[in-house]
Amino acid sequence: MHVTEIQAEGLKREYKIVIPASHLETKIQERLGELANTVKMPGFRPGKVPHKLLRQRYGAAVWGEVMEKSVDEATRKVMEEKGVRPAGDPKFDLLKGEEGSDLEFTLALEVMPEIKPMDFATIKLEREKATVGDDEINDALKHIAERDDNSEAVDRAAADGDVVVIDFVGKQDGIAFPGGAADDYRLKLGSGSFIPGFEEELIGKKAGDEVLVSLSFPEAYGNGDLAGKPAQFEVKVKEVHAV
């Protein structure tokens, strides 16, 4: 058997394999000898059928069997000699496979990468800390205080500066998106704490009103999946609080 390496790039390997015709002929004769002990043909006793007649009748089948086994054996031998571990099933391309000639084919496969154990003692971890300014903290506390205002509900339409208690569900193309819904949410109208255009749609609405708010998220919105995209909010006003 003669093996030529055609490709050895990255994890890809390809070899051209040639099995001599003399080796194949030996395998054919051995297989015909095995058949001679079992095949029955009129006019011949078991084990006495001439190889010539056996070859005429079973030659094609025997050749196919020998060729298949020879390819399997050659493939295993090449992988053992080259020390490669295939990552999947190898691919074969028959170049020459006529009976009486050398058997030539290519073997292409991807090998398992070499994985070296890591010394975990060399790994260093850094804990990143977010720095929040005083202004940001104060703004957040202000919004929380406004949202959680304990003022009593009033029986009138909401005005700028009022706090409304709402249930809402945000949808895109009729499908609710994650994080776009809340119940009993307290929102101060005019605070600018919600999506631009949302608060204005609730001015003039009373408890019990249901509103469909259509708008687009800002291009710089924190959620990249929603930034710059249109959405609809189904809003139910539950209470209006004067501040």
Side-chain angles (χ1 to χ4, degrees):
M1 182 177 68
H2 181 69
V3 180
T4 303
E5 189 174 68
I6 300 175
Q7 183 181 21
E9 181 179 351
L11 300 177
K12 294 183 178 180
R13 301 289 185 274
E14 186 171 358
Y15 307 95
K16 179 182 178 181
I17 301 173
V18 179
I19 302 175
S22 57
H23 175 80
L24 298 171
E25 180 60 28
T26 299
K27 294 296 182 181
I28 291 173
Q29 293 298 330
E30 290 177 355
R31 181 57 179 147
L32 289 173
E34 293 173 357
L35 290 175
N37 295 324
T38 57
V39 170
K40 296 180 180 180
M41 293 183 67
F44 298 96
R45 289 180 297 167
K48 299 298 182 179
V49 180
H51 275 217
K52 183 177 181 180
L53 291 178
L54 288 172
R55 190 153 195 160
Q56 288 177 353
R57 177 167 294 188
Y58 302 106
V62 170
W63 166 245
E65 181 181 329
V66 168
M67 183 170 62
E68 183 178 352
K69 288 185 177 180
S70 297
V71 169
D72 290 341
E73 291 173 358
T75 298
R76 287 196 298 271
K77 188 174 181 180
V78 167
M79 288 192 291
E80 289 174 0
E81 292 179 350
K82 300 296 181 180
V84 298
R85 294 183 301 154
D89 294 334
K91 297 181 180 179
F92 303 94
D93 186 11
L94 183 63
L95 303 177
K96 189 176 180 182
E98 298 84 9
E99 185 177 357
S101 301
D102 293 347
L103 175 61
E104 299 181 13
F105 66 95
T106 59
L107 166 65
L109 67 158
E110 289 191 1
V111 300
M112 295 289 291
E114 183 180 356
I115 301 176
K116 297 181 179 180
M118 175 180 288
D119 182 4
F120 291 99
T122 62
I123 299 177
K124 295 182 179 180
L125 300 178
E126 293 184 6
R127 177 179 293 178
E128 296 186 356
K129 296 182 179 180
T131 302
V132 182
D134 292 339
D135 291 342
E136 293 175 279
I137 294 175
N138 291 332
D139 287 343
L141 291 174
K142 180 181 177 181
H143 287 312
I144 292 173
E146 292 173 345
R147 187 189 65 190
D148 294 337
D149 180 80
N150 292 322
S151 59
E152 295 183 0
V154 294
D155 186 17
R156 62 169 173 79
D160 190 26
D162 288 343
V163 172
V164 292
V165 180
I166 59 174
D167 294 344
F168 64 86
V169 177
K171 297 182 179 182
Q172 286 185 320
D173 297 326
I175 300 175
F177 52 83
D183 292 336
D184 296 327
Y185 187 85
R186 299 175 68 89
L187 174 64
K188 184 173 183 179
L189 303 182
S191 65
S193 60
F194 215 78
I195 305 167
F198 185 89
E199 297 172 21
E200 291 82 351
E201 294 294 325
L202 301 183
I203 294 177
K205 301 301 184 291
K206 297 181 179 181
D209 287 349
E210 295 184 1
V211 188
L212 180 63
V213 179
S214 298
L215 47 74
S216 293
F217 285 91
E219 293 291 342
Y221 193 65
N223 186 336
D225 293 333
L226 300 175
K229 296 181 180 179
Q232 298 77 40
F233 286 85
E234 298 173 358
V235 185
K236 181 177 181 180
V237 181
K238 300 176 76 173
E239 295 179 359
V240 176
H241 291 245
V243 179

